[in-house]
Amino acid sequence: MAFIRRVRTASGATAVQIAEYVRGRQRIVEHVGSAHTEAELGMLLQRARELLDNPAQGVLELGIEPTPSVKGLVAPVGDSGLFTVPDAAVSADRDGPGRVVGTDSRILFDALAGVFTALGFDGLDDEVFRDLVIARVVEPTSLLDAGRVLRDLGQSAASYATMKRTLGRAAAGKYRDRIATWCFQHASTSGDISLVLYDVTTLYFEAEKEDELRKVGYSKERCVDPQIVVGLLVDRGGFPLEIGCFEGNKAETATMIPIIKQFQARHQLADMVVVADAGMVSAGNLRELDEANLRFIVGSRMTKAPTDLASHFRWHGDAFTDGQLIDTITPRTGHTKENNPDLRAEPVWDPATNPGSWRAVWAYSRKRAVRDATTLTAQENRAREVIEGQKAARTPRFVKTAGGKRCLDEASLTRARQLAGLKGYVTNIPANVMTATEVIGSYHDLWHVEQSFRMSKTDLRARPMFHRTRDAIEAHLTIVFTALAVSRTIQNRTGLAVANVIKQLRPLRSATIAINGTTQRFAPDISAEQQAILDAIHGPKSHALRK
């Protein structure tokens, strides 16, 4: 009669075998396998039973008809390993075949949680907040649906009521201030905080009425719904440093100074360079930055070019060479005139000798000129179509009204073509401190803050659709701000977009299997590419972790 026996091996594992008695001695018919855990042992025992219970099996060559009443045997503690007297069989009551209890992407969660900790955010000592941040990175959704995302990541999700209380705790506990401090510490040790980049965006609500925060204003997305204005300050690599929320009807130019001053006061900074695009340019902003002893680089509006480049146009016409740089001055206000076009040489800006002007750098690119020319031609054609009645539209560029009739604004079009290919930059940094090339290079880093905004609005879906009160909206932005820091770190470490990282790691499903009254978690098979991503994410440990 065949039976199952378990034997302790020299390595400490338990071997499961099927044996039979032949002339009073045991003969091993089949070695099923060796187990190192209770769950593995249970699975091997189940496999052995299936071999014995299957009348059609031909592996064992027992020459007998197995009976389904074979009983599972359990070796007593301290037994030598032989298990069995054929008639001392165990009870016929045994578990069914092994079953998968559940699967989850806990490997992804653990990787993201490691980044959260490495940035120092675990100092909040708030696991629910951490889970909401990680859920936002993996699959941005509503607070009500966040539990589903967390369960898919192998976490026991808090209740909806607890999550709502966490938002209140984030506002009352000034989580954003603390997170901003940790972000600054991270950036100061791994990045460059001597130069910061600033930009704004708008987030709209599908609401009928305005309130003290959500107001109708200028929208970059051309929406007419109530909105809020969000200002974001990042370091040179796009890592977030400060975020601010303003009323929807607040002018973009009025948001920069409060954010900069808040950042400066929080970290006791006396010297840094602020970079912003032309939309942030206003005489008041530049004056306040200069009075705060902060250096700035901002984009110049094209309307400034004829005045700033008056000397060039007089002496050289509209001829430029590819890559040509013109370092000159630009008036702080329209009433100031310090650039004398009668002088062929461009003036060198000096704060002492040119108190009514800023330094201006203009660059010409042939590639940009071709692009600008194509755009201008399209605008000219559209203007002509509107004038001739071929297309009904609101008055486009280069259309003016004279004598009660629409006509082409030839002068404006000629002037625009003359300026094609030019890009201007305004700064209060002298040429002996920063060259024109460095000014332009620093300004071009602005794409990092634009990329961070794209990440927050697409990958993280920052638009707070389901929040109504100011505290809830502010708490939501704190979660987005934290998630952006985690996402940026992942992107910097892996060189991949965070959406790509999630796409590759989320399918790594750990499985929980129940068999013979025990459960065991089994890790997934990880490819070399996936392992490389995980290794990059875990990256260098933070200083706090090394202690």
Side-chain angles (χ1 to χ4, degrees):
M1 178 179 180
F3 59 90
I4 301 173
R5 75 171 190 172
R6 299 191 301 180
V7 181
R8 183 73 65 182
T9 66
S11 65
T14 301
V16 177
Q17 302 169 341
I18 295 177
E20 66 173 343
Y21 278 100
V22 178
R23 298 189 183 94
R25 301 184 63 178
Q26 294 184 10
R27 179 177 75 89
I28 297 174
V29 178
E30 178 78 5
H31 177 76
V32 182
S34 299
H36 296 82
T37 67
E38 287 298 322
E40 291 175 353
L41 179 60
M43 296 178 69
L44 291 176
L45 289 172
Q46 180 65 24
R47 173 61 180 155
R49 289 173 187 141
E50 290 173 353
L51 290 173
L52 286 176
D53 289 347
N54 183 5
Q57 60 83 22
V59 177
L60 303 181
E61 300 178 354
L62 300 177
I64 59 173
E65 186 74 20
T67 169
S69 60
V70 175
K71 301 177 182 180
L73 303 178
V74 179
V77 177
D79 190 79
S80 63
L82 286 184
F83 180 88
T84 71
V85 213
D87 53 355
V90 203
S91 101
D93 296 332
R94 60 178 187 265
D95 290 347
R99 63 191 183 279
V100 177
V101 177
T103 65
D104 55 62
S105 300
R106 66 180 61 239
I107 287 181
L108 174 58
F109 180 90
D110 291 343
L112 299 180
V115 175
F116 185 92
T117 299
L119 292 173
F121 299 158
D122 57 331
L124 294 172
D125 195 23
D126 192 330
E127 290 188 356
V128 179
F129 180 84
R130 178 205 63 189
D131 290 354
L132 290 176
V133 170
I134 292 176
R136 175 66 44 180
V137 174
V138 174
E139 184 184 336
T141 184
S142 66
L143 197 66
L144 194 61
D145 196 36
R148 173 189 60 81
V149 178
L150 289 169
R151 286 188 293 272
D152 185 67
L153 294 172
Q155 301 304 301
S156 298
S159 66
Y160 177 65
T162 300
M163 291 181 185
K164 288 184 67 176
R165 286 194 294 271
T166 300
L167 292 183
R169 190 164 58 248
K174 299 186 179 302
Y175 279 16
R176 190 186 301 174
D177 292 343
R178 299 167 66 185
I179 291 167
T181 299
W182 289 319
C183 284
F184 177 80
Q185 292 172 354
H186 172 79
S188 61
T189 56
S190 61
D192 179 12
I193 57 170
S194 64
L195 183 143
V196 294
L197 316 171
Y198 180 78
D199 203 357
V200 298
T201 191
T202 55
L203 302 175
Y204 70 92
F205 296 79
E206 294 173 357
E208 296 181 358
K209 297 182 179 180
E210 297 179 301
D211 54 36
E212 62 175 8
L213 177 62
R214 300 177 299 168
K215 295 182 179 295
V216 176
Y218 171 75
S219 171
K220 292 184 176 181
E221 298 169 339
R222 299 187 177 181
C223 294
V224 294
D225 299 297
Q227 64 181 22
I228 58 175
V229 177
V230 178
L232 180 65
L233 194 70
V234 305
D235 71 2
R236 195 170 214 144
F239 187 78
L241 298 172
E242 199 83 29
I243 193 170
C245 177
F246 303 90
E247 295 78 10
N249 60 353
K250 196 175 188 68
E252 292 182 356
T253 54
T255 65
M256 183 169 71
I257 296 301
I259 294 290
I260 297 297
K261 287 187 174 180
Q262 178 177 291
F263 177 74
Q264 188 180 18
R266 187 193 305 282
H267 308 297
Q268 302 298 311
L269 297 175
D271 184 27
M272 63 181 179
V273 179
V274 180
V275 182
D277 67 12
M280 297 296 103
V281 175
S282 72
N285 277 351
L286 301 187
R287 185 185 65 255
E288 286 196 53
L289 289 173
D290 189 63
E291 290 175 350
N293 294 319
L294 295 176
R295 294 170 290 172
F296 61 78
I297 300 172
V298 297
S300 181
R301 294 187 176 92
M302 289 304 297
T303 54
K304 294 274 192 177
T307 302
D308 297 355
L309 301 177
S311 295
H312 178 89
F313 287 126
R314 174 170 182 179
W315 295 95
H316 304 283
D318 56 2
F320 295 92
T321 58
D322 190 28
Q324 182 176 355
L325 299 178
I326 301 176
D327 206 330
T328 183
I329 63 176
T330 184
R332 297 190 181 188
T333 66
H335 305 293
T336 305
K337 291 185 180 180
E338 295 185 343
N339 192 344
N340 186 359
D342 293 335
L343 300 178
R344 186 166 187 165
E346 296 291 342
V348 177
W349 181 77
D350 180 85
T353 57
N354 305 110
S357 299
W358 302 117
R359 181 186 176 195
V361 175
W362 288 89
Y364 178 84
S365 164
R366 184 174 290 114
K367 183 178 180 180
R368 186 187 297 116
V370 172
R371 186 173 62 247
D372 290 348
T374 301
T375 301
L376 289 170
T377 298
Q379 291 175 335
E380 178 185 358
N381 293 338
R382 180 178 177 83
R384 291 185 183 279
E385 289 172 350
V386 171
I387 293 170
E388 295 170 2
Q390 298 178 13
K391 183 174 291 186
R394 59 184 180 180
T395 304
R397 189 182 182 189
F398 304 132
V399 174
K400 67 178 182 178
T401 303
K405 293 183 179 181
R406 287 179 170 181
C407 59
L408 188 67
D409 191 345
E410 298 279 2
S412 296
L413 179 59
T414 301
R415 184 166 56 250
R417 290 193 180 281
Q418 186 182 39
L419 303 178
L422 289 170
K423 174 67 177 176
Y425 313 86
V426 179
T427 181
N428 63 344
I429 305 175
N432 60 355
V433 175
M434 182 178 286
T435 66
T437 302
E438 291 173 325
V439 169
I440 296 172
S442 297
Y443 181 87
H444 286 176
D445 285 333
L446 268 179
W447 71 270
H448 287 296
V449 68
E450 294 169 355
Q451 184 186 56
S452 290
F453 265 131
R454 284 196 299 273
M455 289 173 62
S456 65
K457 297 180 78 169
T458 54
D459 297 334
L460 305 179
R461 297 181 197 170
R463 187 161 72 91
M465 297 173 58
F466 305 101
H467 300 287
R468 297 294 177 264
T469 65
R470 180 164 196 145
D471 283 349
I473 292 172
E474 292 277 11
H476 170 80
L477 287 179
T478 299
I479 290 176
V480 171
F481 178 67
T482 311
L484 180 59
V486 172
S487 299
R488 267 295 185 180
T489 302
I490 292 172
Q491 181 170 303
N492 292 341
R493 289 182 178 180
T494 64
L496 301 173
V498 66
N500 190 1
V501 172
I502 302 301
K503 181 180 179 180
Q504 295 197 51
L505 297 187
R506 197 171 186 182
L508 294 177
R509 311 286 293 183
S510 300
T512 301
I513 296 177
I515 186 168
N516 286 341
T518 64
T519 59
Q520 178 78 4
R521 184 175 298 116
F522 292 88
D525 183 37
I526 303 176
S527 69
E529 294 79 5
Q530 292 168 323
Q531 188 60 55
I533 294 174
L534 288 170
D535 292 342
I537 289 176
H538 291 302
K541 302 294 184 182
S542 68
H543 179 68
L545 292 177
R546 289 197 298 266
K547 289 183 178 180

